[in-house]
Amino acid sequence: MLEKWEGIVLRTNDYGETNKIVTMLTREKGKKAAVARGAKKTNSRLSGVTQPFTHGYFLVQGGKGLGTMQQGEALDSMRHIREDLLKTAYAAYIVELTDRTTEDGQAGAPLFELVRKSLAYINDGVDPAIVTNIFEMKMLSQAGLRPELSSCAVCGEMEGRFGFSIRENGLICHRCFEKDPYYLPLSPAAIRLLRLFYFFDLDRLGTIDVKESTKKELRAAISMYYDEYAGLYLKSRRFLEQMERFEDVFKKDETDD
């Protein structure tokens, strides 16, 4: 049976000398894989459309086991991501996080739209660090994680100074800091953005300007939480952290000059 999927290429694996196994997140079927025969050849009609991050339509011949990709039509190649190493690092992290937290055939249109919009924002020049933070917060439920961000995880208070507690699985207010001596202090701006990123609709993302110091707070809190609760080792994240450190050094050198 021939099926048409709208999909985003998450990753590819070599299959023989000239073929690829292409893993996609599709709108219709969730995460699916198909063999793209000859796609490793530079002159193949499937070569370009099976590049990571590509959003397109794919005709797949089904059957038991892996289907076979017959045709592909790129809707967006995410060219600007591919031309920028830092954008590529963020996009690679997004698709690997999606891949590792999603089973074959799992998920569908809502997750597909989240991934598509996130990559499109990065491709269009929106701050990739902020887009990625929003994506990470939205993906917590996909990974089965639900931190308490609307009020203090200990006493339920909604007003006061807050920090982030791994032990208590969310925010804790100043009245409860003693419950976790290892809580992560966060500025009011970082607290507000954590809540915003978790609850708001990505469609509403407009121009957003976040201080570098606040970005570092967000990165620390989100990374700590994923490390503690998700149990994922992502190669793309390690590469992204290296790129972020390089960017920090580059910006510092520019400031010193």
Side-chain angles (χ1 to χ4, degrees):
M1 181 175 63
L2 195 62
E3 296 183 322
K4 184 178 182 180
W5 300 337
E6 183 183 357
I8 296 164
V9 178
L10 301 180
R11 62 180 163 90
T12 64
N13 299 94
D14 292 346
Y15 184 58
E17 292 186 5
T18 61
N19 310 321
K20 293 180 184 178
I21 295 177
V22 183
T23 301
M24 299 165 280
L25 184 69
T26 72
R27 185 187 295 277
E28 299 84 0
K29 300 285 187 178
K31 191 170 84 170
K32 300 291 287 184
V35 177
R37 299 195 182 282
K40 287 173 64 176
K41 298 178 180 178
T42 55
N43 60 348
S44 168
R45 54 191 171 82
L46 295 177
S47 176
V49 78
T50 54
Q51 296 298 312
F53 321 133
T54 300
H55 169 215
Y57 287 122
F58 303 90
L59 282 178
V60 177
Q61 183 72 46
K64 291 185 178 180
L66 286 173
T68 301
M69 186 180 297
Q70 302 291 343
Q71 293 181 34
E73 175 192 353
L75 297 174
D76 193 337
S77 67
M78 304 294 173
R79 178 173 62 88
H80 298 302
I81 290 177
R82 247 183 281 282
E83 292 172 347
D84 185 294
L85 189 57
L86 185 61
K87 289 181 179 179
T88 297
Y90 281 106
Y93 173 64
I94 284 173
V95 296
E96 188 180 8
L97 182 57
T98 302
D99 190 17
R100 292 286 300 278
T101 57
T102 309
E103 299 294 332
D104 289 350
Q106 185 187 17
L111 179 57
F112 174 85
E113 277 299 301
L114 175 62
V115 176
R116 185 191 67 77
K117 289 172 186 173
S118 299
L119 294 177
Y121 278 130
I122 293 174
N123 190 62
D124 291 343
V126 179
D127 188 329
I130 295 303
V131 173
T132 301
N133 288 159
I134 296 171
F135 181 81
E136 289 174 307
M137 295 303 290
K138 294 295 186 188
M139 284 296 287
L140 288 174
S141 59
Q142 176 70 18
L145 304 173
R146 291 174 175 79
E148 176 54 66
L149 295 173
S150 58
S151 61
C152 176
V154 177
C155 70
E157 284 289 339
M158 302 179 72
E159 301 295 333
R161 290 182 292 110
F162 286 87
F164 194 78
S165 170
I166 297 298
R167 177 186 294 179
E168 300 297 337
N169 191 33
L171 299 179
I172 57 172
C173 70
H174 65 276
R175 307 167 191 84
C176 302
F177 284 165
E178 63 182 23
K179 298 288 185 181
D180 181 5
Y182 303 105
Y183 80 93
L184 180 67
L186 293 176
S187 66
I191 295 290
R192 180 176 58 83
L193 289 173
L194 275 180
R195 287 170 165 164
L196 179 67
F197 294 170
Y198 188 68
F199 291 111
F200 96 131
D201 187 340
L202 191 59
D203 282 331
R204 295 167 52 199
L205 181 65
T207 302
I208 186 165
D209 186 18
V210 180
K211 292 180 181 178
E212 289 300 319
S213 58
T214 307
K215 287 183 183 180
K216 290 180 179 179
E217 289 183 273
L218 292 170
R219 166 55 53 211
I222 295 171
S223 294
M224 282 174 59
Y225 192 81
Y226 267 91
D227 285 346
E228 180 68 22
Y229 288 105
L232 296 172
Y233 176 82
L234 304 180
K235 291 181 180 179
S236 58
R237 181 177 149 195
R238 304 307 168 201
F239 177 62
L240 177 56
E241 289 171 349
Q242 292 174 348
M243 290 296 300
E244 288 176 330
R245 285 194 292 269
F246 175 80
E247 282 289 302
D248 288 343
V249 171
F250 180 73
K251 288 175 182 176
K252 183 178 184 302
D253 289 344
E254 280 192 329
T255 303
D256 291 343
D257 292 341

